[in-house]
Amino acid sequence: MVTWEEIDKKLNLKIEQIFKHKPIHTMSSYERRKTIFEYLCNNVTYDHELLQDIELAKYFNEKL
């Protein structure tokens, strides 16, 4: 089981990665949200194959 300390550590590492070249403490809330949004748009991909597997499993009442 994952502990809160491990989650907190991973979150802090991701925040450092996202704001690597930006002064996070001097940015407005809007600028921080925009930076996170842009990071997600540029780095997150959707696994359509996994979605299809989940939908089929639900349809056939199976567990993955």
Side-chain angles (χ1 to χ4, degrees), residues 17-42:
Q17 181 182 4
I18 292 171
F19 294 97
K20 187 176 185 177
H21 300 290
K22 298 188 181 230
I24 189 172
H25 299 294
T26 60
M27 297 171 75
S28 68
S29 292
Y30 171 78
E31 290 171 320
R32 289 191 300 266
R33 287 192 306 270
K34 183 176 181 222
T35 300
I36 292 168
F37 176 80
E38 289 171 348
Y39 175 85
L40 291 173
C41 288
N42 293 325

Side-chain angles (χ1 to χ4, degrees), residues 44-64:
V44 174
T45 58
Y46 198 84
D47 190 338
H48 293 280
E49 192 171 313
L50 177 59
L51 175 62
Q52 184 178 14
D53 291 345
I54 291 169
E55 289 173 342
L56 287 173
K58 286 180 184 178
Y59 180 77
F60 290 108
N61 243 352
E62 299 173 357
K63 291 186 177 183
L64 292 177

Side-chain angles (χ1 to χ4, degrees), residues 1-22:
M1 179 182 280
V2 179
T3 66
W4 283 110
E5 290 81 18
E6 293 170 322
I7 293 170
D8 192 48
K9 184 178 179 180
K10 288 181 180 185
L11 181 59
N12 286 329
L13 289 172
K14 186 55 69 178
I15 289 170
E16 287 177 17
Q17 181 182 4
I18 292 171
F19 294 97
K20 187 176 185 177
H21 300 290
K22 298 188 181 230

